[in-house]
Amino acid sequence: MASYFAARLQVSEHELADRLSKRTFNVLETSEFGRAKRMLLKVRIKRVESFDGYCPTIPILAESSLCMILVPANKGLALVRAVKCEYERQMGKVRDRLPLHLGLVYAPRRTPIRAVLDAGRAMLNMAGSFDMAVGTGWEDWRLAAKDPSNPGKHELIFNNGIAWQMPIVAGDCSTSDKWYPRIFEGDAWTSRKGKLTDGLQVRDPKTPSNKGLKLWVRPSRFDFEFLDTTARRFDIHYDANGQRPRRKRPFYLEDLDRLERLWEYMKCLTSSQRHQVIHTIEATRETWFGQDADGQSEADEVFRQFVADTLAGAAWPKGQGWNVISEDDRKRLVEAGVSGKLTDWAELHMKIMKE
C-alpha cells in the first residue's frame, strides 16, 4: 500500500513516511446525488513505522502437545523440514518414545475453511492407539549398524534404511548422559529392557527376521492430502496402528529427507518425462496386481526389474545420466518406485506444488 501511494506522489517510501508523520487528515464520505461530500472524522498520525515484511500465517490452535496453523501452500514443506530439524535437535535423545507427527492439508483458495479444519483434525489421529501393556503403538525395528565415532552422538542405522543421530551427552556437552538416550531392546515386547545406545547390540544379518533382538520404537510420521474436493477430507482416517488404507501412508518422518534427496535426481528429467515414468510404473502395477492392497508388487522381482529398467531408460540429460547416480541412490530410487513412495512424492511436487 505504501509503495502505491509513493508511486502516485512520485516520492520515495521514506519521504512519504516523513510527510505522513505527525500530520492531521480529514476522512471524508464521498458525495452522492443531491448531497456534497462530508467529513466523518479527523485522524492524526502520531508515527510511521516501516516493516520489512510480515509472517503470512494464521495460528488456529497451539498447545504443548499439538498445533494447527494456516500457512501458504508453497511454504508448507519448508515449515515441515524446519519443525523436523528443531524436533531432532531438542528431542533427539527420546525420539524413540516421544514421536512427532506432522500433517499437511493442501486446498484451493476457495475451499471452505471448515473442510480444511476437518481434514486437519483427522490428521491428529495419525498416532494411532497406544497401550504400554501390550505394546500397541510400538514397532519392532532391527539395528543394522551403529557408528560411535562422532563425538557427542551415536549414529544408529536400522534395517529399514532410517538413520538416527542420537545425542549422548548432557547439556554441558561434556558429561555423558546416562538417563535419556535409552531404547527398549528385546526379542519380545514382554521381555524388553531399556538400554543406553552404547549397549545396543547390532543384529547379525544372518539372523531370521522373526528371531533375535529387536528395538522397540514409536515412529514419527508425516502425511499430506490435497483437498481437490471437500469430500476428500473423509479419505483421511487412520487405523489403530496409525496407517491409512493407501499403501505406505503416512510416511516415516525420516523419509522426508530421503525422498527429497531422491526427488533432486528426478528433477533432472523434464516434466513430461517424470509424468511418463510415474504413469508407466503405476499403470503396470495396476495391470499386473490390480489394486495391490496386500503389496504383492513389492515382493515381485519381475516388477522390481521393470521399475529399474523404466528409470534407467528415461531420457536423462547429458552429464546426469542414470549411471552417474551412485549405486546406493539408484537402489533407493528403484525401491521408492516399487513401494509407491515415488508416486506419492511426485503428486506432492508436481500436482500439488505445481513444480
Side-chain angles (χ1 to χ4, degrees):
M1 184 67 73
S3 59
Y4 169 77
F5 286 111
R8 289 291 302 271
L9 297 174
Q10 297 182 352
V11 297
S12 66
E13 293 187 20
H14 292 292
E15 187 177 352
L16 176 64
D18 292 337
R19 291 188 181 186
L20 294 177
S21 181
K22 298 181 180 180
R23 294 283 301 277
T24 301
F25 298 90
N26 297 330
V27 178
L28 305 176
E29 183 181 23
T30 58
S31 61
E32 60 183 17
F33 182 76
R35 181 178 63 80
K37 62 183 178 182
R38 59 182 178 179
M39 185 180 69
L40 296 179
L41 71 157
K42 288 187 176 182
V43 176
R44 185 174 186 273
I45 299 178
K46 293 183 178 180
R47 67 179 184 275
V48 178
E49 296 182 0
S50 177
F51 297 94
D52 294 332
Y54 70 99
C55 186
T57 62
I58 302 177
I60 298 175
L61 177 64
E63 297 180 0
S64 57
S65 60
L66 60 93
C67 174
M68 295 178 68
I69 186 172
L70 291 177
V71 299
N74 62 343
K75 302 297 182 182
L77 204 55
L79 176 62
V80 167
R81 285 195 291 265
V83 173
K84 174 181 176 293
C85 290
E86 190 65 18
Y87 165 76
E88 292 174 344
R89 187 183 70 83
Q90 296 192 27
M91 307 293 288
K93 297 178 182 179
V94 294
R95 62 190 302 176
D96 61 297
R97 52 196 182 275
L98 293 179
L100 175 67
H101 301 104
L102 297 175
L104 288 176
V105 177
Y106 294 90
R109 62 186 180 91
R110 297 186 184 278
T111 303
I113 190 64
R114 179 176 179 178
V116 178
L117 295 179
D118 284 348
R121 293 190 191 98
M123 283 192 172
L124 296 179
N125 299 319
M126 197 187 308
S129 302
F130 176 70
D131 189 348
M132 285 292 294
V134 296
T136 303
W138 296 77
E139 293 186 3
D140 53 317
W141 292 7
R142 277 71 170 171
L143 184 62
K146 65 178 181 179
D147 182 8
S149 60
N150 189 0
K153 292 183 179 180
H154 277 173
E155 182 179 20
L156 306 180
I157 303 174
F158 302 95
N159 64 331
N160 55 12
I162 292 176
W164 284 356
Q165 297 288 340
M166 296 280 288
I168 58 172
V169 294
D172 60 2
C173 299
S174 60
T175 304
S176 179
D177 194 332
K178 301 294 184 182
W179 301 274
Y180 290 108
R182 295 175 178 268
I183 299 181
F184 286 134
E185 183 184 60
D187 55 2
W189 174 254
T190 54
S191 60
R192 72 192 185 281
K193 293 183 179 180
K195 286 189 177 182
L196 292 171
T197 54
D198 55 1
L200 298 175
Q201 297 184 28
V202 176
R203 186 182 179 85
D204 187 344
K206 297 180 181 179
T207 304
S209 59
N210 60 342
K211 295 182 179 180
L213 293 176
K214 311 176 185 68
L215 298 183
W216 300 93
V217 173
R218 292 190 67 200
S220 298
R221 296 190 175 103
F222 165 72
D223 201 2
F224 69 88
E225 190 62 68
F226 176 58
L227 301 185
D228 52 346
T229 66
T230 56
R232 187 69 62 194
R233 68 188 189 274
F234 299 117
D235 289 348
I236 306 175
H237 57 91
Y238 303 89
D239 60 19
N241 296 320
Q243 298 297 315
R244 293 177 61 178
R246 298 181 62 173
R247 292 182 307 109
K248 301 301 179 182
R249 297 283 288 275
F251 305 103
Y252 289 129
L253 185 60
E254 293 80 4
D255 281 337
L256 184 67
D257 293 333
R258 294 194 295 174
L259 291 172
E260 281 293 276
R261 185 172 65 253
L262 296 180
W263 188 250
E264 289 299 316
Y265 291 119
M266 294 298 293
K267 286 168 64 176
C268 295
L269 297 172
T270 63
S271 178
S272 60
Q273 273 289 295
R274 293 198 297 267
H275 279 292
Q276 183 66 31
V277 168
I278 297 299
H279 174 75
T280 301
I281 293 174
E282 294 307 317
T284 303
R285 189 199 308 273
E286 184 175 357
T287 301
W288 291 5
F289 305 100
Q291 295 298 318
D292 195 25
D294 53 358
Q296 294 182 20
S297 60
E298 297 183 48
D300 191 284
E301 291 300 324
V302 177
F303 181 70
R304 182 176 296 272
Q305 185 61 48
F306 173 81
V307 173
D309 293 342
T310 301
L311 287 167
W316 295 92
K318 187 176 181 180
Q320 186 55 59
W322 176 252
N323 293 328
V324 175
I325 302 174
S326 67
E327 182 179 356
D328 289 341
D329 282 344
R330 290 202 303 268
K331 290 180 179 179
R332 294 187 183 102
L333 275 169
V334 172
E335 181 60 35
V338 171
S339 65
K341 291 181 179 179
L342 190 61
T343 301
D344 285 338
W345 218 245
E347 177 189 359
L348 175 60
H349 280 279
M350 300 181 67
K351 180 180 178 181
I352 300 176
M353 304 292 290
K354 306 296 184 183
E355 295 180 357

